[in-house]
Amino acid sequence: MTTKDGGPASTGPLFETAKRFVSGVDRVSFWLVVAAMAGMAGLVSFQVFMRYALSSSLDWAEEIARLFFVWTMLLAIPHGIKAGVHVGIDLLVLQFPPGLQEILFRTTALIGSLLMLIVCIYAYVVVGQTWQELMPTVNVTSAVYYIAVLVSAGHSSLHLAILTWGGSQTWAKKARPQA
């Protein structure tokens, strides 16, 4: 359901509250992505400087840079869901009437949300199972990789649930009135 201007139809105050909550999670996640990318770029640059200018190396730099990379990629996934930029094959679906397309969109969003909840639950289990294991070069639990999966899956599930509830135009930008 959409309005005449192509924006999402109003689904009530509870829906708007849920959207605001997810938008808040998005803001936190966005800045975590920025911080992880900056940490990764800074650490790799510093490591290159250490190797070539000082003929030295940080034994932990590669592992921490990999950790930053993993967190960056996993935290960015829900933002791609929100923007609708993940790869999809819609050749057949585009042949259907718009109403059926919307039903299929919401159905697949619901299934995706449920699958992300399952991933979230299993990631939680794996975090518990790997908590005692440490990374080889730093005294940090190796579960931090799985915590990123847990956070990403939970955040993705929220986005997919909002899309199930509000439809394909949930996050569409409202057109500005022409002057």
Side-chain angles (χ1 to χ4, degrees):
M1 287 190 313
T2 59
T3 59
K4 289 180 184 178
D5 68 352
S10 174
T11 52
L14 185 59
F15 177 73
E16 293 304 321
T17 301
K19 272 182 65 176
R20 278 193 302 278
F21 173 76
V22 174
S23 291
V25 173
D26 287 346
R27 280 188 294 281
V28 171
S29 174
F30 172 84
W31 287 109
L32 287 172
V33 168
V34 169
M37 287 179 70
M40 178 180 57
L43 188 55
V44 169
S45 298
F46 186 67
Q47 179 71 344
V48 168
F49 171 77
M50 291 285 293
R51 282 187 184 168
Y52 293 104
L54 305 177
S55 297
S56 183
S57 180
L58 302 171
D59 60 347
W60 51 267
E62 184 179 336
E63 193 163 36
I64 297 301
R66 183 182 314 114
L67 182 62
F68 281 143
F69 176 76
V70 167
W71 272 85
T72 299
M73 293 303 103
L74 288 169
L75 289 176
I77 289 170
H79 296 278
I81 292 170
K82 178 180 182 178
V85 296
H86 288 295
V87 174
I89 301 170
D90 56 5
L91 181 67
L92 178 63
V93 174
L94 291 176
Q95 304 307 311
F96 298 145
L100 182 55
Q101 287 181 29
E102 187 66 22
I103 290 168
L104 289 172
F105 177 86
R106 288 177 186 231
T107 302
T108 56
L110 175 62
I111 293 167
S113 182
L114 295 173
L115 288 173
M116 285 294 104
L117 279 176
I118 292 169
V119 170
C120 189
I121 290 165
Y122 276 98
Y124 178 78
V125 170
V126 174
V127 166
Q129 292 172 345
T130 60
W131 193 260
Q132 298 301 320
E133 297 175 22
L134 298 177
M135 288 195 242
T137 59
V138 289
N139 193 21
V140 175
T141 177
S142 63
V144 292
Y145 288 102
Y146 301 106
I147 293 170
V149 174
L150 187 146
V151 170
S152 177
H155 190 184
S156 295
S157 184
L158 286 175
H159 268 291
L160 290 162
I162 290 288
L163 289 171
T164 300
W165 190 355
S168 61
Q169 298 300 309
T170 296
W171 298 106
K173 301 282 186 202
K174 292 181 181 175
R176 285 192 230 163
Q178 296 296 324

mmCIF file of all heavy atoms in Angstrom, residues 61-104:
data_model
loop_
_atom_site.group_PDB
_atom_site.id
_atom_site.type_symbol
_atom_site.label_atom_id
_atom_site.label_comp_id
_atom_site.label_asym_id
_atom_site.label_seq_id
_atom_site.Cartn_x
_atom_site.Cartn_y
_atom_site.Cartn_z
ATOM 1 N N ALA A 61 48.485 -6.881 14.490
ATOM 2 C CA ALA A 61 47.821 -5.929 13.599
ATOM 3 C C ALA A 61 46.946 -6.615 12.545
ATOM 4 O O ALA A 61 45.821 -6.167 12.269
ATOM 5 C CB ALA A 61 48.840 -5.028 12.921
ATOM 6 N N GLU A 62 47.452 -7.688 11.966
ATOM 7 C CA GLU A 62 46.672 -8.370 10.928
ATOM 8 C C GLU A 62 45.376 -8.948 11.505
ATOM 9 O O GLU A 62 44.307 -8.841 10.899
ATOM 10 C CB GLU A 62 47.504 -9.475 10.294
ATOM 11 C CG GLU A 62 46.798 -10.172 9.148
ATOM 12 C CD GLU A 62 47.658 -11.253 8.516
ATOM 13 O OE1 GLU A 62 48.891 -11.185 8.611
ATOM 14 O OE2 GLU A 62 47.063 -12.177 7.931
ATOM 15 N N GLU A 63 45.469 -9.513 12.673
ATOM 16 C CA GLU A 63 44.288 -10.118 13.302
ATOM 17 C C GLU A 63 43.239 -9.067 13.687
ATOM 18 O O GLU A 63 42.041 -9.244 13.441
ATOM 19 C CB GLU A 63 44.721 -10.900 14.535
ATOM 20 C CG GLU A 63 43.658 -11.796 15.075
ATOM 21 C CD GLU A 63 44.240 -12.831 16.010
ATOM 22 O OE1 GLU A 63 45.204 -12.528 16.751
ATOM 23 O OE2 GLU A 63 43.723 -13.956 15.993
ATOM 24 N N ILE A 64 43.680 -7.958 14.227
ATOM 25 C CA ILE A 64 42.747 -6.899 14.621
ATOM 26 C C ILE A 64 42.170 -6.215 13.379
ATOM 27 O O ILE A 64 40.976 -5.891 13.350
ATOM 28 C CB ILE A 64 43.434 -5.885 15.562
ATOM 29 C CG1 ILE A 64 43.869 -6.578 16.856
ATOM 30 C CG2 ILE A 64 42.511 -4.709 15.862
ATOM 31 C CD1 ILE A 64 42.735 -7.232 17.637
ATOM 32 N N ALA A 65 42.966 -6.022 12.348
ATOM 33 C CA ALA A 65 42.455 -5.445 11.103
ATOM 34 C C ALA A 65 41.389 -6.367 10.497
ATOM 35 O O ALA A 65 40.363 -5.891 9.989
ATOM 36 C CB ALA A 65 43.597 -5.220 10.111
ATOM 37 N N ARG A 66 41.619 -7.676 10.549
ATOM 38 C CA ARG A 66 40.621 -8.636 10.059
ATOM 39 C C ARG A 66 39.340 -8.542 10.880
ATOM 40 O O ARG A 66 38.238 -8.568 10.345
ATOM 41 C CB ARG A 66 41.173 -10.054 10.110
ATOM 42 C CG ARG A 66 40.222 -11.100 9.546
ATOM 43 C CD ARG A 66 40.743 -12.532 9.635
ATOM 44 N NE ARG A 66 42.116 -12.660 9.201
ATOM 45 C CZ ARG A 66 43.122 -12.993 9.999
ATOM 46 N NH1 ARG A 66 42.922 -13.224 11.281
ATOM 47 N NH2 ARG A 66 44.352 -13.106 9.525
ATOM 48 N N LEU A 67 39.483 -8.383 12.182
ATOM 49 C CA LEU A 67 38.325 -8.239 13.058
ATOM 50 C C LEU A 67 37.538 -6.970 12.706
ATOM 51 O O LEU A 67 36.303 -7.002 12.606
ATOM 52 C CB LEU A 67 38.773 -8.199 14.514
ATOM 53 C CG LEU A 67 37.677 -8.110 15.564
ATOM 54 C CD1 LEU A 67 36.769 -9.337 15.511
ATOM 55 C CD2 LEU A 67 38.293 -7.965 16.947
ATOM 56 N N PHE A 68 38.242 -5.859 12.502
ATOM 57 C CA PHE A 68 37.570 -4.625 12.075
ATOM 58 C C PHE A 68 36.839 -4.831 10.748
ATOM 59 O O PHE A 68 35.723 -4.356 10.567
ATOM 60 C CB PHE A 68 38.575 -3.482 11.910
ATOM 61 C CG PHE A 68 38.997 -2.823 13.192
ATOM 62 C CD1 PHE A 68 40.309 -2.404 13.352
ATOM 63 C CD2 PHE A 68 38.108 -2.588 14.221
ATOM 64 C CE1 PHE A 68 40.718 -1.768 14.521
ATOM 65 C CE2 PHE A 68 38.500 -1.953 15.393
ATOM 66 C CZ PHE A 68 39.810 -1.550 15.540
ATOM 67 N N PHE A 69 37.477 -5.534 9.819
ATOM 68 C CA PHE A 69 36.860 -5.789 8.513
ATOM 69 C C PHE A 69 35.570 -6.603 8.664
ATOM 70 O O PHE A 69 34.544 -6.274 8.075
ATOM 71 C CB PHE A 69 37.843 -6.523 7.598
ATOM 72 C CG PHE A 69 37.259 -6.905 6.270
ATOM 73 C CD1 PHE A 69 37.074 -5.959 5.290
ATOM 74 C CD2 PHE A 69 36.884 -8.215 6.010
ATOM 75 C CE1 PHE A 69 36.525 -6.303 4.060
ATOM 76 C CE2 PHE A 69 36.334 -8.565 4.797
ATOM 77 C CZ PHE A 69 36.155 -7.613 3.809
ATOM 78 N N VAL A 70 35.628 -7.653 9.451
ATOM 79 C CA VAL A 70 34.450 -8.501 9.663
ATOM 80 C C VAL A 70 33.316 -7.691 10.277
ATOM 81 O O VAL A 70 32.163 -7.756 9.830
ATOM 82 C CB VAL A 70 34.809 -9.730 10.538
ATOM 83 C CG1 VAL A 70 33.564 -10.451 11.030
ATOM 84 C CG2 VAL A 70 35.710 -10.680 9.769
ATOM 85 N N TRP A 71 33.621 -6.907 11.308
ATOM 86 C CA TRP A 71 32.586 -6.084 11.932
ATOM 87 C C TRP A 71 32.024 -5.062 10.946
ATOM 88 O O TRP A 71 30.815 -4.836 10.906
ATOM 89 C CB TRP A 71 33.146 -5.391 13.185
ATOM 90 C CG TRP A 71 32.994 -6.244 14.405
ATOM 91 C CD1 TRP A 71 33.854 -7.225 14.833
ATOM 92 C CD2 TRP A 71 31.915 -6.219 15.332
ATOM 93 N NE1 TRP A 71 33.367 -7.797 15.984
ATOM 94 C CE2 TRP A 71 32.176 -7.197 16.316
ATOM 95 C CE3 TRP A 71 30.759 -5.462 15.439
ATOM 96 C CZ2 TRP A 71 31.324 -7.440 17.384
ATOM 97 C CZ3 TRP A 71 29.905 -5.704 16.513
ATOM 98 C CH2 TRP A 71 30.199 -6.681 17.464
ATOM 99 N N THR A 72 32.883 -4.455 10.141
ATOM 100 C CA THR A 72 32.416 -3.484 9.145
ATOM 101 C C THR A 72 31.429 -4.132 8.188
ATOM 102 O O THR A 72 30.338 -3.600 7.946
ATOM 103 C CB THR A 72 33.610 -2.903 8.354
ATOM 104 O OG1 THR A 72 34.481 -2.229 9.260
ATOM 105 C CG2 THR A 72 33.147 -1.941 7.285
ATOM 106 N N MET A 73 31.798 -5.258 7.637
ATOM 107 C CA MET A 73 30.938 -5.914 6.644
ATOM 108 C C MET A 73 29.613 -6.377 7.261
ATOM 109 O O MET A 73 28.545 -6.175 6.688
ATOM 110 C CB MET A 73 31.649 -7.121 6.014
ATOM 111 C CG MET A 73 32.849 -6.767 5.164
ATOM 112 S SD MET A 73 32.453 -5.636 3.817
ATOM 113 C CE MET A 73 33.067 -4.102 4.451
ATOM 114 N N LEU A 74 29.688 -6.985 8.420
ATOM 115 C CA LEU A 74 28.462 -7.509 9.029
ATOM 116 C C LEU A 74 27.539 -6.392 9.525
ATOM 117 O O LEU A 74 26.318 -6.503 9.406
ATOM 118 C CB LEU A 74 28.798 -8.489 10.144
ATOM 119 C CG LEU A 74 29.350 -9.828 9.642
ATOM 120 C CD1 LEU A 74 29.912 -10.653 10.793
ATOM 121 C CD2 LEU A 74 28.292 -10.611 8.903
ATOM 122 N N LEU A 75 28.104 -5.322 10.061
ATOM 123 C CA LEU A 75 27.264 -4.212 10.512
ATOM 124 C C LEU A 75 26.640 -3.444 9.345
ATOM 125 O O LEU A 75 25.617 -2.779 9.507
ATOM 126 C CB LEU A 75 28.060 -3.245 11.397
ATOM 127 C CG LEU A 75 28.428 -3.747 12.787
ATOM 128 C CD1 LEU A 75 29.301 -2.718 13.502
ATOM 129 C CD2 LEU A 75 27.194 -4.064 13.613
ATOM 130 N N ALA A 76 27.245 -3.528 8.176
ATOM 131 C CA ALA A 76 26.717 -2.819 7.006
ATOM 132 C C ALA A 76 25.549 -3.559 6.345
ATOM 133 O O ALA A 76 24.758 -2.934 5.625
ATOM 134 C CB ALA A 76 27.834 -2.592 5.986
ATOM 135 N N ILE A 77 25.419 -4.846 6.569
ATOM 136 C CA ILE A 77 24.370 -5.637 5.912
ATOM 137 C C ILE A 77 22.970 -5.070 6.154
ATOM 138 O O ILE A 77 22.205 -4.897 5.199
ATOM 139 C CB ILE A 77 24.469 -7.122 6.326
ATOM 140 C CG1 ILE A 77 25.707 -7.756 5.695
ATOM 141 C CG2 ILE A 77 23.204 -7.893 5.938
ATOM 142 C CD1 ILE A 77 26.028 -9.146 6.219
ATOM 143 N N PRO A 78 22.574 -4.749 7.387
ATOM 144 C CA PRO A 78 21.227 -4.203 7.597
ATOM 145 C C PRO A 78 20.985 -2.880 6.870
ATOM 146 O O PRO A 78 19.863 -2.595 6.441
ATOM 147 C CB PRO A 78 21.138 -4.006 9.112
ATOM 148 C CG PRO A 78 22.195 -4.885 9.682
ATOM 149 C CD PRO A 78 23.268 -4.971 8.665
ATOM 150 N N HIS A 79 22.038 -2.085 6.695
ATOM 151 C CA HIS A 79 21.893 -0.824 5.963
ATOM 152 C C HIS A 79 21.588 -1.098 4.492
ATOM 153 O O HIS A 79 20.822 -0.372 3.862
ATOM 154 C CB HIS A 79 23.143 0.036 6.118
ATOM 155 C CG HIS A 79 23.387 0.459 7.533
ATOM 156 N ND1 HIS A 79 22.755 1.529 8.104
ATOM 157 C CD2 HIS A 79 24.166 -0.081 8.512
ATOM 158 C CE1 HIS A 79 23.138 1.651 9.359
ATOM 159 N NE2 HIS A 79 23.987 0.676 9.635
ATOM 160 N N GLY A 80 22.171 -2.162 3.960
ATOM 161 C CA GLY A 80 21.865 -2.571 2.589
ATOM 162 C C GLY A 80 20.440 -3.071 2.456
ATOM 163 O O GLY A 80 19.769 -2.829 1.452
ATOM 164 N N ILE A 81 19.955 -3.759 3.484
ATOM 165 C CA ILE A 81 18.567 -4.221 3.476
ATOM 166 C C ILE A 81 17.627 -3.026 3.450
ATOM 167 O O ILE A 81 16.682 -2.971 2.663
ATOM 168 C CB ILE A 81 18.270 -5.131 4.686
ATOM 169 C CG1 ILE A 81 19.021 -6.450 4.555
ATOM 170 C CG2 ILE A 81 16.774 -5.371 4.845
ATOM 171 C CD1 ILE A 81 18.988 -7.325 5.804
ATOM 172 N N LYS A 82 17.909 -2.044 4.296
ATOM 173 C CA LYS A 82 17.069 -0.844 4.370
ATOM 174 C C LYS A 82 17.030 -0.126 3.019
ATOM 175 O O LYS A 82 15.965 0.294 2.565
ATOM 176 C CB LYS A 82 17.601 0.104 5.445
ATOM 177 C CG LYS A 82 16.837 1.404 5.562
ATOM 178 C CD LYS A 82 17.414 2.287 6.652
ATOM 179 C CE LYS A 82 16.620 3.565 6.815
ATOM 180 N NZ LYS A 82 17.153 4.392 7.907
ATOM 181 N N ALA A 83 18.177 0.006 2.388
ATOM 182 C CA ALA A 83 18.262 0.731 1.117
ATOM 183 C C ALA A 83 17.834 -0.122 -0.072
ATOM 184 O O ALA A 83 17.667 0.400 -1.177
ATOM 185 C CB ALA A 83 19.691 1.239 0.914
ATOM 186 N N GLY A 84 17.675 -1.419 0.129
ATOM 187 C CA GLY A 84 17.275 -2.302 -0.967
ATOM 188 C C GLY A 84 18.362 -2.490 -2.010
ATOM 189 O O GLY A 84 18.074 -2.613 -3.197
ATOM 190 N N VAL A 85 19.621 -2.517 -1.578
ATOM 191 C CA VAL A 85 20.724 -2.582 -2.533
ATOM 192 C C VAL A 85 21.386 -3.958 -2.624
ATOM 193 O O VAL A 85 22.328 -4.124 -3.387
ATOM 194 C CB VAL A 85 21.801 -1.517 -2.218
ATOM 195 C CG1 VAL A 85 21.236 -0.126 -2.388
ATOM 196 C CG2 VAL A 85 22.388 -1.703 -0.835
ATOM 197 N N HIS A 86 20.899 -4.934 -1.872
ATOM 198 C CA HIS A 86 21.475 -6.267 -1.987
ATOM 199 C C HIS A 86 21.027 -6.912 -3.294
ATOM 200 O O HIS A 86 19.977 -6.585 -3.839
ATOM 201 C CB HIS A 86 21.079 -7.140 -0.790
ATOM 202 C CG HIS A 86 21.767 -6.754 0.476
ATOM 203 N ND1 HIS A 86 23.126 -6.862 0.639
ATOM 204 C CD2 HIS A 86 21.296 -6.229 1.633
ATOM 205 C CE1 HIS A 86 23.457 -6.433 1.842
ATOM 206 N NE2 HIS A 86 22.358 -6.042 2.464
ATOM 207 N N VAL A 87 21.832 -7.824 -3.780
ATOM 208 C CA VAL A 87 21.549 -8.486 -5.040
ATOM 209 C C VAL A 87 20.236 -9.249 -4.946
ATOM 210 O O VAL A 87 19.974 -9.938 -3.970
ATOM 211 C CB VAL A 87 22.695 -9.456 -5.422
ATOM 212 C CG1 VAL A 87 22.345 -10.252 -6.661
ATOM 213 C CG2 VAL A 87 23.989 -8.692 -5.609
ATOM 214 N N GLY A 88 19.421 -9.094 -5.950
ATOM 215 C CA GLY A 88 18.157 -9.812 -6.016
ATOM 216 C C GLY A 88 17.851 -10.171 -7.460
ATOM 217 O O GLY A 88 18.307 -9.500 -8.390
ATOM 218 N N ILE A 89 17.107 -11.219 -7.638
ATOM 219 C CA ILE A 89 16.698 -11.628 -8.986
ATOM 220 C C ILE A 89 15.192 -11.453 -9.047
ATOM 221 O O ILE A 89 14.441 -12.175 -8.411
ATOM 222 C CB ILE A 89 17.104 -13.088 -9.271
ATOM 223 C CG1 ILE A 89 18.621 -13.226 -9.133
ATOM 224 C CG2 ILE A 89 16.637 -13.504 -10.660
ATOM 225 C CD1 ILE A 89 19.112 -14.641 -9.165
ATOM 226 N N ASP A 90 14.775 -10.445 -9.793
ATOM 227 C CA ASP A 90 13.352 -10.118 -9.824
ATOM 228 C C ASP A 90 12.764 -10.130 -11.232
ATOM 229 O O ASP A 90 11.713 -9.551 -11.474
ATOM 230 C CB ASP A 90 13.106 -8.761 -9.166
ATOM 231 C CG ASP A 90 13.913 -7.638 -9.784
ATOM 232 O OD1 ASP A 90 14.608 -7.880 -10.793
ATOM 233 O OD2 ASP A 90 13.855 -6.523 -9.251
ATOM 234 N N LEU A 91 13.415 -10.809 -12.157
ATOM 235 C CA LEU A 91 12.953 -10.866 -13.535
ATOM 236 C C LEU A 91 11.517 -11.373 -13.626
ATOM 237 O O LEU A 91 10.674 -10.766 -14.294
ATOM 238 C CB LEU A 91 13.887 -11.766 -14.364
ATOM 239 C CG LEU A 91 13.550 -11.912 -15.839
ATOM 240 C CD1 LEU A 91 13.753 -10.578 -16.543
ATOM 241 C CD2 LEU A 91 14.424 -12.975 -16.468
ATOM 242 N N LEU A 92 11.211 -12.434 -12.910
ATOM 243 C CA LEU A 92 9.859 -12.995 -12.943
ATOM 244 C C LEU A 92 8.878 -12.135 -12.149
ATOM 245 O O LEU A 92 7.777 -11.838 -12.611
ATOM 246 C CB LEU A 92 9.871 -14.431 -12.386
ATOM 247 C CG LEU A 92 8.526 -15.144 -12.318
ATOM 248 C CD1 LEU A 92 7.943 -15.314 -13.732
ATOM 249 C CD2 LEU A 92 8.673 -16.490 -11.645
ATOM 250 N N VAL A 93 9.307 -11.695 -10.973
ATOM 251 C CA VAL A 93 8.420 -10.926 -10.093
ATOM 252 C C VAL A 93 7.965 -9.635 -10.761
ATOM 253 O O VAL A 93 6.820 -9.210 -10.594
ATOM 254 C CB VAL A 93 9.125 -10.636 -8.745
ATOM 255 C CG1 VAL A 93 8.298 -9.718 -7.872
ATOM 256 C CG2 VAL A 93 9.417 -11.940 -8.023
ATOM 257 N N LEU A 94 8.818 -9.007 -11.542
ATOM 258 C CA LEU A 94 8.449 -7.754 -12.212
ATOM 259 C C LEU A 94 7.358 -7.936 -13.258
ATOM 260 O O LEU A 94 6.748 -6.956 -13.697
ATOM 261 C CB LEU A 94 9.682 -7.106 -12.847
ATOM 262 C CG LEU A 94 10.697 -6.548 -11.851
ATOM 263 C CD1 LEU A 94 11.928 -6.014 -12.578
ATOM 264 C CD2 LEU A 94 10.079 -5.476 -10.975
ATOM 265 N N GLN A 95 7.092 -9.170 -13.633
ATOM 266 C CA GLN A 95 6.030 -9.439 -14.608
ATOM 267 C C GLN A 95 4.651 -9.500 -13.943
ATOM 268 O O GLN A 95 3.634 -9.486 -14.622
ATOM 269 C CB GLN A 95 6.306 -10.759 -15.352
ATOM 270 C CG GLN A 95 7.651 -10.823 -16.047
ATOM 271 C CD GLN A 95 7.898 -9.651 -16.977
ATOM 272 O OE1 GLN A 95 7.065 -9.300 -17.802
ATOM 273 N NE2 GLN A 95 9.059 -9.021 -16.822
ATOM 274 N N PHE A 96 4.615 -9.576 -12.619
ATOM 275 C CA PHE A 96 3.357 -9.676 -11.877
ATOM 276 C C PHE A 96 2.745 -8.293 -11.659
ATOM 277 O O PHE A 96 3.444 -7.290 -11.706
ATOM 278 C CB PHE A 96 3.582 -10.346 -10.519
ATOM 279 C CG PHE A 96 4.082 -11.765 -10.597
ATOM 280 C CD1 PHE A 96 4.973 -12.236 -9.658
ATOM 281 C CD2 PHE A 96 3.661 -12.631 -11.594
ATOM 282 C CE1 PHE A 96 5.446 -13.544 -9.703
ATOM 283 C CE2 PHE A 96 4.121 -13.946 -11.654
ATOM 284 C CZ PHE A 96 5.012 -14.391 -10.712
ATOM 285 N N PRO A 97 1.442 -8.246 -11.399
ATOM 286 C CA PRO A 97 0.800 -6.963 -11.075
ATOM 287 C C PRO A 97 1.391 -6.382 -9.772
ATOM 288 O O PRO A 97 1.854 -7.138 -8.902
ATOM 289 C CB PRO A 97 -0.676 -7.322 -10.867
ATOM 290 C CG PRO A 97 -0.839 -8.724 -11.297
ATOM 291 C CD PRO A 97 0.502 -9.357 -11.416
ATOM 292 N N PRO A 98 1.359 -5.057 -9.623
ATOM 293 C CA PRO A 98 1.962 -4.418 -8.442
ATOM 294 C C PRO A 98 1.449 -4.970 -7.109
ATOM 295 O O PRO A 98 2.234 -5.121 -6.164
ATOM 296 C CB PRO A 98 1.594 -2.941 -8.597
ATOM 297 C CG PRO A 98 1.414 -2.764 -10.069
ATOM 298 C CD PRO A 98 0.865 -4.064 -10.576
ATOM 299 N N GLY A 99 0.177 -5.269 -7.010
ATOM 300 C CA GLY A 99 -0.365 -5.805 -5.760
ATOM 301 C C GLY A 99 0.270 -7.137 -5.392
ATOM 302 O O GLY A 99 0.610 -7.379 -4.225
ATOM 303 N N LEU A 100 0.440 -8.010 -6.364
ATOM 304 C CA LEU A 100 1.068 -9.306 -6.126
ATOM 305 C C LEU A 100 2.556 -9.127 -5.808
ATOM 306 O O LEU A 100 3.107 -9.841 -4.960
ATOM 307 C CB LEU A 100 0.874 -10.240 -7.325
ATOM 308 C CG LEU A 100 1.431 -11.653 -7.193
ATOM 309 C CD1 LEU A 100 0.876 -12.351 -5.944
ATOM 310 C CD2 LEU A 100 1.122 -12.461 -8.445
ATOM 311 N N GLN A 101 3.196 -8.177 -6.473
ATOM 312 C CA GLN A 101 4.603 -7.888 -6.172
ATOM 313 C C GLN A 101 4.759 -7.491 -4.706
ATOM 314 O O GLN A 101 5.688 -7.934 -4.035
ATOM 315 C CB GLN A 101 5.126 -6.763 -7.057
ATOM 316 C CG GLN A 101 5.347 -7.148 -8.495
ATOM 317 C CD GLN A 101 5.889 -5.990 -9.312
ATOM 318 O OE1 GLN A 101 6.575 -5.109 -8.803
ATOM 319 N NE2 GLN A 101 5.576 -5.983 -10.603
ATOM 320 N N GLU A 102 3.830 -6.671 -4.219
ATOM 321 C CA GLU A 102 3.900 -6.220 -2.826
ATOM 322 C C GLU A 102 3.682 -7.390 -1.863
ATOM 323 O O GLU A 102 4.372 -7.513 -0.845
ATOM 324 C CB GLU A 102 2.876 -5.114 -2.573
ATOM 325 C CG GLU A 102 2.985 -4.464 -1.225
ATOM 326 C CD GLU A 102 4.271 -3.667 -1.018
ATOM 327 O OE1 GLU A 102 4.922 -3.255 -1.997
ATOM 328 O OE2 GLU A 102 4.638 -3.466 0.153
ATOM 329 N N ILE A 103 2.742 -8.267 -2.190
ATOM 330 C CA ILE A 103 2.495 -9.452 -1.357
ATOM 331 C C ILE A 103 3.743 -10.330 -1.313
ATOM 332 O O ILE A 103 4.157 -10.794 -0.239
ATOM 333 C CB ILE A 103 1.276 -10.246 -1.876
ATOM 334 C CG1 ILE A 103 -0.009 -9.456 -1.605
ATOM 335 C CG2 ILE A 103 1.205 -11.630 -1.240
ATOM 336 C CD1 ILE A 103 -1.230 -10.005 -2.321
ATOM 337 N N LEU A 104 4.370 -10.549 -2.464
ATOM 338 C CA LEU A 104 5.591 -11.349 -2.515
ATOM 339 C C LEU A 104 6.724 -10.670 -1.746
ATOM 340 O O LEU A 104 7.497 -11.336 -1.052
ATOM 341 C CB LEU A 104 5.999 -11.610 -3.961
ATOM 342 C CG LEU A 104 5.098 -12.576 -4.727
ATOM 343 C CD1 LEU A 104 5.481 -12.610 -6.203
ATOM 344 C CD2 LEU A 104 5.182 -13.967 -4.120
#
